[in-house]
């Protein structure tokens, strides 16, 4: 950096300022996804002073308090007026499980905060030019379709043996390793003999990334004749696999398909049948907009 004489009568300068920025997804790699950002810097200086101004810009993105991305860039010799600086931040896939757990625990809501700081170097001094934080909110509603009061008959040998009258689902307390879904299934026994529900299996996939392919452990439910009972199986999802899901989500334009399948074995006097629980078995589209301003 060239040194200059700073005599009060000969030299004056003004602080450059950040006036705009815009971000979007770049290349998706194995462990990181690029965030490409264009930062517009206004340099009010001209002539020799403008030629001597260099600018360093650093950017960080936190999601629900988890540091997910960072990057930096620089410009030497700012022209008078607006200058555009392109910088790339690396979004770490291994940060996804932690912030996603907080996303679920906060009612499927995330706060995305991007902080950009710039330092102008004019040879003899350094001037901070911070930009106000950019804050966005990202929301999803993955379990909306699991809550239903539509009757669903269970039939054997042409007869209705039971009716599922209501299903509900909520997220349990998620961690970076596990995301539990607490369910409630209300079943009315339509027969004059006991029926038994057991061996509940469930699969959950996001863009073909398997989050669960399990069965509930040691859970058998007996429902008395002509009575109603609510059973409450818990489905455990492998939240650590959200790191594998994330790049598929970005490549699809921030859209994913959530595929769920839930089955149970129902035993009655008429026999045993494997039953698909329709309210929990469906395909849903999950969309986000991480760079939408709010």
């Amino acid at each position: 950096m060239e040194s200059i004489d700073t005599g009060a009568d000969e030299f004056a300068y003004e602080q450059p300022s950040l006036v705009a920025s815009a971000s979007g997804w770049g290349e998706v790699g194995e462990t990181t996804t690029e965030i490409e950002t264009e930062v517009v810097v206004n340099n009010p200086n001209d002539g020799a002073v403008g030629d001597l101004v260099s600018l360093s810009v650093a950017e960080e993105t936190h999601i629900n308090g988890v540091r997910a991305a960072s990057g930096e860039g620089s410009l030497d010799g700012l022209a008078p007026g607006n200058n555009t600086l392109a910088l790339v931040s690396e979004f770490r896939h291994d940060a996804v499980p932690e912030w996603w757990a907080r996303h679920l625990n906060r009612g499927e809501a995330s706060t995305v905060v991007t902080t950009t700081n710039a330092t102008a170097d004019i040879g003899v001094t350094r001037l901070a030019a911070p930009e106000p934080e950019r804050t966005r909110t990202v929301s999803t509603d993955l379990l909306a379709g699991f809550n239903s009061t539509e009757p669903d008959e269970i039939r054997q040998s042409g007869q209705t043996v039971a009716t599922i009258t209501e299903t509900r689902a909520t997220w349990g307390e998620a961690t970076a390793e596990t995301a539990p879904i607490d369910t409630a299934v209300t079943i009315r026994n339509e027969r004059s003999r006991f029926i038994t529900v057991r061996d509940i299996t469930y699969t959950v996939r996001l863009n073909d990334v398997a989050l669960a392919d399990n069965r509930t452990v040691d859970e058998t439910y007996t429902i008395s004749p002509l009575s109603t009972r609510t059973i409450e199986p818990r489905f455990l999802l492998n939240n650590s696999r959200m790191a594998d899901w994330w790049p598929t989500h970005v490549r699809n334009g921030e859209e994913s398909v959530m595929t769920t399948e839930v089955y149970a074995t129902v035993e009655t006097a008429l026999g045993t049948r494997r039953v698909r629980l329709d309210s929990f078995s469906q395909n849903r589209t999950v969309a986000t907009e991480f760079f939408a301003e709010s």
Side-chain angles (χ1 to χ4, degrees), residues 45-59:
N45 304 285
D46 56 17
V49 175
D51 293 338
L52 292 171
V53 176
S54 67
L55 193 81
S56 298
V57 179
E59 187 170 83

Side-chain angles (χ1 to χ4, degrees), residues 70-242:
S70 61
E72 58 186 21
S74 62
L75 277 176
D76 288 322
L78 297 184
N82 287 343
N83 296 256
T84 299
L85 167 65
L87 71 96
V88 174
S89 298
E90 296 291 339
F91 186 104
R92 296 172 22 249
H93 299 166
D94 62 8
V96 176
E98 180 62 34
W99 70 255
W100 186 258
R102 300 183 186 187
H103 178 82
L104 300 180
N105 294 337
R106 297 177 182 184
E108 292 194 44
S110 287
T111 300
V112 183
V113 178
T114 298
T115 304
T116 305
N117 287 293
T119 303
D121 192 327
I122 314 182
V124 294
T125 188
R126 297 175 67 86
L127 301 172
E131 181 194 38
E133 290 182 342
R134 286 175 285 149
T135 301
R136 289 93 69 196
T137 300
V138 177
S139 300
T140 57
D141 195 1
L142 297 176
L143 302 184
F146 291 175
N147 297 285
S148 174
T149 56
E150 289 292 324
D152 185 12
E153 292 184 347
I154 300 173
R155 299 178 62 83
Q156 288 181 337
S157 303
Q159 301 181 50
T160 299
V161 296
T163 303
I164 298 175
T165 60
E166 184 177 5
T167 55
R168 299 188 304 276
T170 58
W171 290 105
E173 187 70 18
T175 67
E177 293 75 33
T178 304
I181 301 176
D182 294 324
T183 72
V185 184
T186 302
I187 305 173
R188 184 173 64 239
N189 183 355
E190 307 289 3
R191 310 298 292 177
S192 58
R193 297 187 181 182
F194 287 93
I195 65 173
T196 299
V197 179
R198 61 175 180 82
D199 191 26
I200 299 173
T201 61
Y202 56 95
T203 60
V204 180
R205 294 179 179 273
L206 271 173
N207 287 349
D208 293 328
V209 175
L211 304 182
D213 187 3
N214 301 323
R215 67 181 66 240
T216 57
V217 179
D218 298 328
E219 291 186 1
T220 298
Y221 306 93
T222 300
I223 305 174
S224 300
L226 302 174
S227 67
T228 299
R229 180 179 178 182
T230 298
I231 65 175
E232 298 179 339
R234 168 174 268 206
F235 306 151
L236 296 177
L237 278 56
N238 183 352
N239 198 48
S240 68
R241 295 223 63 200
M242 295 301 287

